[in-house]
Amino acid sequence: KQGHRAGYLVLYFFALAATLATHYLSFLLLPFHAATILVFGKRQDRAHVGLAFALLAAFGAAFLFFPSGAAQVTGSDVSGPTFVPFFIILRDMLNSFAIGVTASLDRAALLDLALLALWLLGVASTVRVRPRDFRLALFLLAYLLLPALALQAGSYLRPLYLNSRHLITTSPAFYLGIACGIDALARRASGARGDSGLRYGFAGITASGLVIIGAAYSLNNLYFDSTFAKDDHRGWAEFLRERMRADDFLILDSPQAETVFRYYAPPGVKWISLPHLGFTEQNQDEEQRLDFSAVADASHNYPRIWYLQLHRAVADPNNHISDLLRRFGQVIDTTLFAGTSTQIILQQFVPGSVVPTRAPALEHPLAIHFGDNLQLIGYDSPRELDAGARGGVKLYWRLDQPSQEDFGVSLRVVDEAGARWGQWDSQPVGNRFTATYWPTGQTIVETHDLPAEPGAPPGKYHVELSVFHYSSGEAFPARPDNSNQSESAIRLGDIFITRPAPPLDPRRLVFDRRAGAEFGEALDFIGYDVDTARVHPGDLIALTLFFHLLKNPNHDLNMRVALTPSPLAFWNLTRAESQVTLPLSGRVPGDILQARVQVRVPAAASAGEYSLRLGVDGEAARGFIFPSSEITIGSAQIEPTGQGNDK
């Protein structure tokens, strides 16, 4: 028996250590563990009493450590959670344990109360009156309430409670009580009659229905109600990956979110987390001076600042960092992302103002009219840009009279043949300062993104600009000053696309569909972009294929993309293909290559899912794959004729 006791103690301390290492508030369980040992242990056994008091001492030590050593989790005196009354904590626990965090408290109140009554019945059913044994009831009550009481006590030192996930380790007490309540109801309903088994089962299933209804309601909200969507960390990460330039800077709203940010953020982002956490009111002024200095330095050194708020209500409740950013610059764009436990807001700031107080010096003055009242009076453009990089073209606008509608601007990188090798369409300046808010007669400065596609061959290109109605996409006619002729687009100037050094990492490129297929020792197919994968008979499927060059075979590659039905649909003989040439002249190992191809869906194609297959033909296939062989790279959904495109 002594050996068994030692073995159980070893397992207990191992499990306790794992719990403390994986949940930063799990030390709140220590008072419950101590109470359990005192309730169930033998009074004469001093070892039990000693262990209980050791656990209480460990709990006290954790609380002494927590306010200073773990402030990065809960914030500081000037940022972090606010004090929450004990009743609110219990209400959150009841609703999240009984139904789920995706259930509204207002709509689920009656069900919450019904399950609370069932839990109380379960606790009462564990009481044995005649032997006066209340230990099981005390166990369930202590399991659920003591950690919450400990959290509340600690909140008087520093607010700790954010939401019910901090007390998720106590949820087994609720479910055990519910199970006891269901059992008690079922036993009461079955009585002592001969059909007691059936009555017990029926009553148990009926009582369990309350739990099932709550779970079904919560799961329905989780999967089908966008209000309760999971925190969209991948969304803001992809948004930044597509839009951040090399000279951008990012401010994260709280040190508490650094771990999440590091996991999702695009590589190479220059960033800092603010505000600085002051543990006491005494050093609050010093921390605010550090915040002021950090924002001032960022505004002085970077032309564009992103401000990512992952814990807005907790990290910066007084909008201290937002106020500093507005003091040094102007917010021009705001994007919201779904979140339940957090509020995710991504803002873009520019130092100073987009409406300069003095007339700027224009590198390339122009006088291009778009429509009746919009002018492009000049631009500044980079002379070169790496393939796969994102630059910025500074555009200078002027409104002759107030605009009644918003418009969009498209910048493109095109070669001599007019083929596009980079494009970015967006509202000028940003969604927080659209054309309907622009003052008339003043210069508006916009830095418009200009991306170069990763497969663009090194060489000379042109920068092309057009303006369009933002609501309809229809282009404004572009008319140079003192001219009666108009065009849909104008060429601003030349730009040289250079080979990036070091070469682009294919793993960091963003595609609609990522792939990994080797064509011998010379070429890897790494992915493709598709305009839309849901088309109709007669439509075109437009693809951009991307490859990674490992060894140049010194000749172009003739390829084809085929649209074929599923092998299971053996009766369907539909097939369409399109040829495409991949030029390799002047390309070196490490380059990213790309080719555009359009496949026409046959007019007689039946609805269903089809495969997109890629092959290399004829002599060009030698050293890559067997001639006429194909690999499946993706799929396309052919919709029945008469349905609208899903783009």
Side-chain angles (χ1 to χ4, degrees), residues 449-512:
D449 286 351
L450 182 68
E453 295 189 0
K460 180 181 176 181
Y461 294 79
H462 307 290
V463 178
E464 191 174 83
L465 178 144
S466 61
V467 179
F468 56 91
H469 296 269
Y470 196 72
S471 57
S472 65
E474 181 182 357
F476 281 96
R479 177 174 53 84
D481 202 9
N482 301 322
S483 174
N484 294 324
Q485 296 182 347
S486 61
E487 303 175 10
S488 60
I490 60 170
R491 285 189 174 179
L492 297 181
D494 297 334
I495 189 171
F496 288 88
I497 302 299
T498 56
R499 179 173 285 112
L504 295 174
D505 186 348
R507 295 170 298 180
R508 294 186 175 182
L509 300 179
V510 179
F511 310 117
D512 291 342

Side-chain angles (χ1 to χ4, degrees), residues 111 115 118 182 202-216:
L111 188 55
L115 289 170
L118 187 60
I182 293 173
F202 178 77
I205 293 173
T206 302
S208 301
L210 291 174
V211 181
I212 296 173
I213 290 172

Side-chain angles (χ1 to χ4, degrees), residues 237-297:
E238 290 301 320
F239 189 90
L240 286 173
R241 191 187 301 272
E242 291 181 353
R243 290 164 175 81
M244 286 202 76
R245 302 197 292 259
D247 55 357
D248 283 356
F249 189 74
L250 183 140
I251 295 177
L252 180 66
D253 72 340
S254 65
Q256 298 98 320
E258 287 185 3
T259 301
V260 173
F261 177 80
R262 286 192 180 96
Y263 182 83
Y264 287 99
V269 177
K270 296 183 286 290
W271 65 283
I272 188 175
S273 62
L274 297 175
H276 290 87
L277 295 181
F279 300 143
T280 64
E281 294 287 351
Q282 285 73 21
N283 60 4
Q284 177 179 344
D285 292 341
E286 177 61 25
E287 303 299 339
Q288 290 188 350
R289 281 193 291 271
L290 290 174
D291 294 338
F292 181 91
S293 177
V295 174
D297 289 345

